[in-house]
Short mmCIF file of all heavy atoms in Angstrom, two decimals:
data_model
loop_
_atom_site.label_atom_id
_atom_site.label_comp_id
_atom_site.label_asym_id
_atom_site.label_seq_id
_atom_site.Cartn_x
_atom_site.Cartn_y
_atom_site.Cartn_z
N ARG A 30 7.83 -3.90 15.13
CA ARG A 30 6.58 -4.48 14.62
C ARG A 30 5.37 -3.95 15.39
O ARG A 30 4.32 -3.66 14.79
CB ARG A 30 6.65 -6.02 14.68
CG ARG A 30 7.50 -6.62 13.57
CD ARG A 30 7.47 -8.15 13.59
NE ARG A 30 8.37 -8.69 14.62
CZ ARG A 30 9.66 -8.88 14.46
NH1 ARG A 30 10.24 -8.55 13.32
NH2 ARG A 30 10.39 -9.39 15.43
N VAL A 31 5.49 -3.84 16.72
CA VAL A 31 4.38 -3.30 17.50
C VAL A 31 4.08 -1.87 17.08
O VAL A 31 2.91 -1.49 16.86
CB VAL A 31 4.70 -3.38 19.00
CG1 VAL A 31 3.60 -2.66 19.81
CG2 VAL A 31 4.81 -4.83 19.45
N SER A 32 5.11 -1.06 16.95
CA SER A 32 4.90 0.34 16.54
C SER A 32 4.31 0.43 15.14
O SER A 32 3.46 1.28 14.86
CB SER A 32 6.22 1.10 16.60
OG SER A 32 6.71 1.16 17.93
N TRP A 33 4.75 -0.45 14.27
CA TRP A 33 4.24 -0.48 12.89
C TRP A 33 2.74 -0.77 12.89
O TRP A 33 1.97 -0.14 12.15
CB TRP A 33 5.01 -1.51 12.09
CG TRP A 33 4.70 -1.56 10.63
CD1 TRP A 33 5.23 -0.80 9.64
CD2 TRP A 33 3.78 -2.48 9.98
NE1 TRP A 33 4.71 -1.16 8.41
CE2 TRP A 33 3.81 -2.19 8.60
CE3 TRP A 33 2.94 -3.49 10.42
CZ2 TRP A 33 3.05 -2.87 7.67
CZ3 TRP A 33 2.17 -4.18 9.50
CH2 TRP A 33 2.23 -3.87 8.13
N LEU A 34 2.31 -1.72 13.72
CA LEU A 34 0.89 -2.02 13.81
C LEU A 34 0.10 -0.81 14.31
O LEU A 34 -0.96 -0.48 13.77
CB LEU A 34 0.66 -3.22 14.74
CG LEU A 34 1.09 -4.59 14.22
CD1 LEU A 34 0.88 -5.64 15.30
CD2 LEU A 34 0.34 -4.97 12.96
N LEU A 35 0.61 -0.17 15.35
CA LEU A 35 -0.09 1.00 15.88
C LEU A 35 -0.21 2.10 14.84
O LEU A 35 -1.26 2.76 14.72
CB LEU A 35 0.65 1.52 17.11
CG LEU A 35 0.62 0.64 18.36
CD1 LEU A 35 1.53 1.23 19.44
CD2 LEU A 35 -0.80 0.49 18.89
N ASP A 36 0.82 2.29 14.05
CA ASP A 36 0.81 3.35 13.04
C ASP A 36 -0.17 3.08 11.92
O ASP A 36 -0.59 4.02 11.22
CB ASP A 36 2.21 3.52 12.44
CG ASP A 36 3.19 4.15 13.41
OD1 ASP A 36 2.75 4.71 14.43
OD2 ASP A 36 4.41 4.05 13.17
N ARG A 37 -0.55 1.84 11.72
CA ARG A 37 -1.40 1.49 10.59
C ARG A 37 -2.85 1.26 10.94
O ARG A 37 -3.64 0.84 10.11
CB ARG A 37 -0.81 0.27 9.85
CG ARG A 37 0.23 0.73 8.86
CD ARG A 37 1.33 -0.28 8.63
NE ARG A 37 2.35 0.35 7.78
CZ ARG A 37 3.28 1.21 8.22
NH1 ARG A 37 3.31 1.54 9.50
NH2 ARG A 37 4.16 1.74 7.39
N GLN A 38 -3.22 1.52 12.17
CA GLN A 38 -4.63 1.40 12.52
C GLN A 38 -5.42 2.52 11.85
O GLN A 38 -4.99 3.68 11.81
CB GLN A 38 -4.83 1.47 14.03
CG GLN A 38 -6.27 1.15 14.45
CD GLN A 38 -6.40 1.02 15.95
OE1 GLN A 38 -5.65 1.62 16.71
NE2 GLN A 38 -7.37 0.22 16.39
N ARG A 39 -6.56 2.16 11.29
CA ARG A 39 -7.41 3.13 10.62
C ARG A 39 -8.20 3.96 11.62
O ARG A 39 -8.32 3.59 12.78
CB ARG A 39 -8.36 2.41 9.67
CG ARG A 39 -7.65 1.54 8.66
CD ARG A 39 -8.55 0.86 7.65
NE ARG A 39 -9.88 0.53 8.06
CZ ARG A 39 -10.65 -0.37 7.45
NH1 ARG A 39 -10.18 -1.03 6.40
NH2 ARG A 39 -11.87 -0.61 7.87
N ALA A 40 -8.77 5.04 11.15
CA ALA A 40 -9.57 5.91 12.02
C ALA A 40 -10.78 5.18 12.60
O ALA A 40 -11.24 5.50 13.70
CB ALA A 40 -10.01 7.14 11.25
N ASP A 41 -11.30 4.19 11.87
CA ASP A 41 -12.48 3.45 12.35
C ASP A 41 -12.12 2.30 13.28
O ASP A 41 -13.00 1.56 13.71
CB ASP A 41 -13.32 2.96 11.18
CG ASP A 41 -12.60 1.94 10.30
OD1 ASP A 41 -11.41 1.63 10.59
OD2 ASP A 41 -13.20 1.48 9.31
N GLY A 42 -10.83 2.13 13.59
CA GLY A 42 -10.40 1.08 14.50
C GLY A 42 -9.92 -0.18 13.84
O GLY A 42 -9.36 -1.06 14.50
N GLY A 43 -10.15 -0.29 12.54
CA GLY A 43 -9.73 -1.50 11.83
C GLY A 43 -8.34 -1.37 11.25
O GLY A 43 -7.68 -0.34 11.30
N TRP A 44 -7.90 -2.48 10.70
CA TRP A 44 -6.65 -2.52 9.95
C TRP A 44 -6.93 -3.19 8.59
O TRP A 44 -7.87 -3.97 8.46
CB TRP A 44 -5.61 -3.38 10.66
CG TRP A 44 -4.86 -2.76 11.78
CD1 TRP A 44 -3.64 -2.14 11.73
CD2 TRP A 44 -5.25 -2.71 13.16
NE1 TRP A 44 -3.25 -1.73 12.98
CE2 TRP A 44 -4.22 -2.06 13.88
CE3 TRP A 44 -6.37 -3.16 13.87
CZ2 TRP A 44 -4.27 -1.86 15.25
CZ3 TRP A 44 -6.43 -2.96 15.23
CH2 TRP A 44 -5.39 -2.31 15.91
N GLY A 45 -6.13 -2.88 7.59
CA GLY A 45 -6.23 -3.57 6.33
C GLY A 45 -7.04 -2.83 5.29
O GLY A 45 -7.28 -1.62 5.39
N GLY A 46 -7.51 -3.56 4.29
CA GLY A 46 -8.17 -2.97 3.15
C GLY A 46 -9.63 -2.64 3.39
O GLY A 46 -10.19 -2.90 4.47
N PRO A 47 -10.27 -2.05 2.38
CA PRO A 47 -11.69 -1.71 2.50
C PRO A 47 -12.58 -2.95 2.56
O PRO A 47 -12.13 -4.08 2.34
CB PRO A 47 -11.96 -0.91 1.20
CG PRO A 47 -10.62 -0.53 0.67
CD PRO A 47 -9.68 -1.62 1.11
N ASP A 48 -13.83 -2.69 2.85
CA ASP A 48 -14.86 -3.73 2.84
C ASP A 48 -14.48 -4.86 3.80
O ASP A 48 -13.86 -4.64 4.82
CB ASP A 48 -15.09 -4.24 1.41
CG ASP A 48 -15.50 -3.13 0.45
OD1 ASP A 48 -16.07 -2.13 0.91
OD2 ASP A 48 -15.21 -3.25 -0.76
N GLY A 49 -14.82 -6.08 3.46
CA GLY A 49 -14.54 -7.21 4.35
C GLY A 49 -13.08 -7.57 4.47
O GLY A 49 -12.72 -8.43 5.28
N TYR A 50 -12.23 -6.93 3.68
CA TYR A 50 -10.79 -7.26 3.73
C TYR A 50 -10.15 -6.81 5.04
O TYR A 50 -8.99 -7.16 5.30
CB TYR A 50 -10.07 -6.62 2.56
CG TYR A 50 -10.37 -7.30 1.25
CD1 TYR A 50 -11.25 -6.73 0.33
CD2 TYR A 50 -9.78 -8.51 0.92
CE1 TYR A 50 -11.53 -7.35 -0.88
CE2 TYR A 50 -10.05 -9.14 -0.28
CZ TYR A 50 -10.93 -8.55 -1.18
OH TYR A 50 -11.20 -9.19 -2.37
N ALA A 51 -10.84 -6.05 5.86
CA ALA A 51 -10.27 -5.63 7.14
C ALA A 51 -10.42 -6.67 8.23
O ALA A 51 -9.75 -6.57 9.27
CB ALA A 51 -10.94 -4.32 7.58
N LEU A 52 -11.26 -7.68 8.05
CA LEU A 52 -11.59 -8.58 9.15
C LEU A 52 -10.36 -9.35 9.65
O LEU A 52 -10.03 -9.32 10.85
CB LEU A 52 -12.69 -9.55 8.72
CG LEU A 52 -13.06 -10.63 9.75
CD1 LEU A 52 -13.51 -9.99 11.06
CD2 LEU A 52 -14.15 -11.55 9.20
N VAL A 53 -9.69 -10.05 8.77
CA VAL A 53 -8.56 -10.89 9.18
C VAL A 53 -7.41 -10.06 9.76
O VAL A 53 -6.90 -10.37 10.84
CB VAL A 53 -8.10 -11.78 8.01
CG1 VAL A 53 -6.72 -12.37 8.26
CG2 VAL A 53 -9.11 -12.90 7.77
N PRO A 54 -6.95 -8.98 9.08
CA PRO A 54 -5.87 -8.20 9.69
C PRO A 54 -6.26 -7.54 11.01
O PRO A 54 -5.42 -7.41 11.91
CB PRO A 54 -5.52 -7.16 8.62
CG PRO A 54 -6.67 -7.15 7.67
CD PRO A 54 -7.27 -8.50 7.72
N THR A 55 -7.53 -7.14 11.16
CA THR A 55 -7.93 -6.52 12.42
C THR A 55 -7.97 -7.54 13.56
O THR A 55 -7.57 -7.24 14.70
CB THR A 55 -9.31 -5.84 12.28
OG1 THR A 55 -9.23 -4.86 11.22
CG2 THR A 55 -9.71 -5.14 13.56
N LEU A 56 -8.42 -8.74 13.28
CA LEU A 56 -8.36 -9.80 14.29
C LEU A 56 -6.92 -10.04 14.72
O LEU A 56 -6.62 -10.14 15.92
CB LEU A 56 -8.95 -11.09 13.73
CG LEU A 56 -10.46 -11.29 13.86
CD1 LEU A 56 -10.93 -12.45 12.98
CD2 LEU A 56 -10.84 -11.55 15.32
N SER A 57 -6.02 -10.11 13.77
CA SER A 57 -4.62 -10.40 14.09
C SER A 57 -3.98 -9.27 14.88
O SER A 57 -3.31 -9.50 15.91
CB SER A 57 -3.83 -10.63 12.79
OG SER A 57 -2.48 -10.93 13.07
N ALA A 58 -4.16 -8.03 14.43
CA ALA A 58 -3.55 -6.89 15.12
C ALA A 58 -4.12 -6.73 16.52
O ALA A 58 -3.38 -6.46 17.49
CB ALA A 58 -3.75 -5.62 14.30
N THR A 59 -5.43 -6.88 16.67
CA THR A 59 -6.06 -6.72 17.98
C THR A 59 -5.58 -7.79 18.94
O THR A 59 -5.23 -7.51 20.11
CB THR A 59 -7.59 -6.76 17.84
OG1 THR A 59 -8.02 -5.74 16.94
CG2 THR A 59 -8.26 -6.56 19.19
N GLU A 60 -5.54 -9.04 18.49
CA GLU A 60 -5.05 -10.12 19.36
C GLU A 60 -3.60 -9.90 19.73
O GLU A 60 -3.20 -10.15 20.88
CB GLU A 60 -5.23 -11.47 18.65
CG GLU A 60 -5.13 -12.68 19.57
CD GLU A 60 -3.70 -13.03 19.96
OE1 GLU A 60 -2.76 -12.75 19.16
OE2 GLU A 60 -3.50 -13.60 21.06
N ALA A 61 -2.79 -9.40 18.78
CA ALA A 61 -1.38 -9.14 19.07
C ALA A 61 -1.24 -8.08 20.16
O ALA A 61 -0.43 -8.23 21.09
CB ALA A 61 -0.67 -8.69 17.79
N LEU A 62 -2.02 -7.00 20.08
CA LEU A 62 -1.93 -5.95 21.08
C LEU A 62 -2.41 -6.43 22.45
O LEU A 62 -1.84 -6.08 23.49
CB LEU A 62 -2.73 -4.73 20.64
CG LEU A 62 -2.24 -4.02 19.38
CD1 LEU A 62 -3.11 -2.81 19.07
CD2 LEU A 62 -0.78 -3.59 19.51
N LEU A 63 -3.45 -7.26 22.46
CA LEU A 63 -3.91 -7.84 23.73
C LEU A 63 -2.82 -8.71 24.35
O LEU A 63 -2.61 -8.70 25.58
CB LEU A 63 -5.18 -8.66 23.51
CG LEU A 63 -6.45 -7.86 23.18
CD1 LEU A 63 -7.56 -8.79 22.72
CD2 LEU A 63 -6.90 -7.03 24.38
#
């Protein structure tokens, strides 16, 4: 799961879909890595 998250980070640092859809998944992935 950790590797999967790392593989799916976008070039801009976010995770998830375009527009505001990246907010929730990026919060979750970032907190998980911390």
